[in-house]
């Protein structure tokens, strides 16, 4: 057959047998594959990365965050999480852990580290006392208020200042006396053990759980913002969803500073 006549015949056939419209399935993209009946089926096309990010942002994500009030890495990660909660549907649950207990029994600690771990004990007791009196909803506000003075302003965390911070949070200022009271040390030990149990073994601070997938970290040398913060969250969620993923690490110099 002359090729021009073949093209005319083919076009005529297509005009009489138009392809069915592609069904509208919202965000999910599908296409209809023409051919024999066995192949005439809808095949999903994976959404683009930007679409996957949008889908994740609409789904409620449970976050469990284990922190020690004196840990600068936990402070950086917690500020990043709070920023993300402003435009994502996150259910963040705040839990206390203890660097003092994690490092208990180490004989090579410096004087600076000894004071740091002593403050870990003291502020851990204060957070427990505030939660004991006012409920777990006060965990994050008290942690945030303490951290602004400790990490951002670099204040000396005296009982007087801690009492003022508690009062700002609507908590009895006399609970600052818990800094030097070992009455809640058993509860602190239990809280710390829960962090290690969630992780599945000994681990440092912070510990982050995303829908029950728990990791030590993220270890941040600063507080990410804008697109970097969003991309980091998407990446961490992706890693948490991969059951074969265990660890990724690179060197860094010292803890973050926030002044």
């Amino acid at each position: 057959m002359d090729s021009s006549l073949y093209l005319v015949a083919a076009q005529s056939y297509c005009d009489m047998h138009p392809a069915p419209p592609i069904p509208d399935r919202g965000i999910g993209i599908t296409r209809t594959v023409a051919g024999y009946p066995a192949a005439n089926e809808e095949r999903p096309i994976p959404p683009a990365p930007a679409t996957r990010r949008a889908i994740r942002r609409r789904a409620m994500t449970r976050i469990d965050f284990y922190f020690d009030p004196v840990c600068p890495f936990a402070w950086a990660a917690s500020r990043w999480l709070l920023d993300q909660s402003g435009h994502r549907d996150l259910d963040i649950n705040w839990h206390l852990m203890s660097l003092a207990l994690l490092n208990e029994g180490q004989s090579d600690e410096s004087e600076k580290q000894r004071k740091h771990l002593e403050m870990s004990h003291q502020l851990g007791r204060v957070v427990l006392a505030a939660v004991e009196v006012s409920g777990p909803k006060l965990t994050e506000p008290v942690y945030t208020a303490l951290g602004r003075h400790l990490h951002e302003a670099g204040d000396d965390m005296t009982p007087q200042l801690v009492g003022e911070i508690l009062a700002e949070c609507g908590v009895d200022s006399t609970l600052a006396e818990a800094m030097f009271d070992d009455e809640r040390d058993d509860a602190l030990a239990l809280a710390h053990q829960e962090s290690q149990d969630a992780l599945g073994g000994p681990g440092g601070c912070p510990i982050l759980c995303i829908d029950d997938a728990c990791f030590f970290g993220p270890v941040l040398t600063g507080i990410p913002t804008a697109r970097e913060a969003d991309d980091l969250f998407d990446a961490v969620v992706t890693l948490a969803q991969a059951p074969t993923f265990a660890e990724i690490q690179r060197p860094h110099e010292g803890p973050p500073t926030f002044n």
Side-chain angles (χ1 to χ4, degrees), residues 53-126:
R53 286 196 293 269
I55 293 171
R56 279 200 295 264
R57 288 175 185 176
R58 277 202 293 274
M60 169 70 77
T61 303
R62 177 183 171 90
I63 303 290
D64 288 277
F65 186 75
Y66 295 84
F67 67 93
D68 184 306
V70 305
C71 178
F73 297 108
W75 180 252
S78 68
R79 300 311 95 186
W80 162 68
L81 280 176
L82 283 173
D83 172 72
Q84 289 297 293
S85 70
H87 57 276
R88 297 181 190 265
D89 196 5
L90 304 182
D91 175 23
I92 305 180
N93 301 272
W94 303 86
H95 310 275
L96 193 64
M97 63 179 295
S98 175
L99 287 175
L101 296 177
L102 183 67
N103 292 275
E104 196 171 41
Q106 293 190 10
S107 57
D108 58 346
E109 61 187 38
S110 64
E111 180 63 17
K112 180 179 179 181
Q113 186 180 16
R114 187 191 66 77
K115 291 182 177 179
H116 185 71
L117 297 179
E118 185 178 280
M119 183 59 63
S120 164
H121 241 138
Q122 293 172 355
L123 295 187
R125 292 164 176 163
V126 168

Side-chain angles (χ1 to χ4, degrees), residues 10-195:
Q11 181 62 51
S12 177
Y13 177 85
C14 292
D15 291 341
M16 291 185 293
H17 300 83
I22 296 175
D24 180 8
R25 298 188 182 276
I27 292 177
I29 301 172
T30 61
R31 63 183 176 192
T32 300
V33 181
Y36 293 101
N40 190 14
E41 59 183 2
E42 295 177 0
R43 298 180 182 177
I45 301 174
T51 305
R52 290 198 296 268
R53 286 196 293 269
I55 293 171
R56 279 200 295 264
R57 288 175 185 176
R58 277 202 293 274
M60 169 70 77
T61 303
R62 177 183 171 90
I63 303 290
D64 288 277
F65 186 75
Y66 295 84
F67 67 93
D68 184 306
V70 305
C71 178
F73 297 108
W75 180 252
S78 68
R79 300 311 95 186
W80 162 68
L81 280 176
L82 283 173
D83 172 72
Q84 289 297 293
S85 70
H87 57 276
R88 297 181 190 265
D89 196 5
L90 304 182
D91 175 23
I92 305 180
N93 301 272
W94 303 86
H95 310 275
L96 193 64
M97 63 179 295
S98 175
L99 287 175
L101 296 177
L102 183 67
N103 292 275
E104 196 171 41
Q106 293 190 10
S107 57
D108 58 346
E109 61 187 38
S110 64
E111 180 63 17
K112 180 179 179 181
Q113 186 180 16
R114 187 191 66 77
K115 291 182 177 179
H116 185 71
L117 297 179
E118 185 178 280
M119 183 59 63
S120 164
H121 241 138
Q122 293 172 355
L123 295 187
R125 292 164 176 163
V126 168
V127 172
L128 282 176
V131 170
E132 181 183 292
V133 171
S134 302
K137 67 182 183 299
L138 260 293
T139 306
E140 183 275 319
V142 170
Y143 171 41
T144 291
L146 290 170
R148 284 174 179 160
H149 285 271
L150 176 63
H151 298 292
E152 296 181 2
D155 291 334
D156 185 12
M157 303 302 285
T158 64
Q160 180 180 351
L161 176 58
V162 171
E164 293 171 1
I165 294 170
L166 291 175
E168 291 172 5
C169 296
V171 180
D172 184 359
S173 63
T174 63
L175 291 179
E177 298 171 2
M179 292 176 70
F180 307 103
D181 185 352
D182 62 5
E183 177 185 350
R184 295 177 178 85
D185 282 4
D186 287 346
L188 182 60
L190 179 60
H192 178 70
Q193 187 58 50
E194 287 176 354
S195 75

Side-chain angles (χ1 to χ4, degrees), residues 1-12:
M1 177 186 292
D2 183 86
S3 60
S4 61
L5 294 176
Y6 178 84
L7 292 174
V8 170
Q11 181 62 51
S12 177

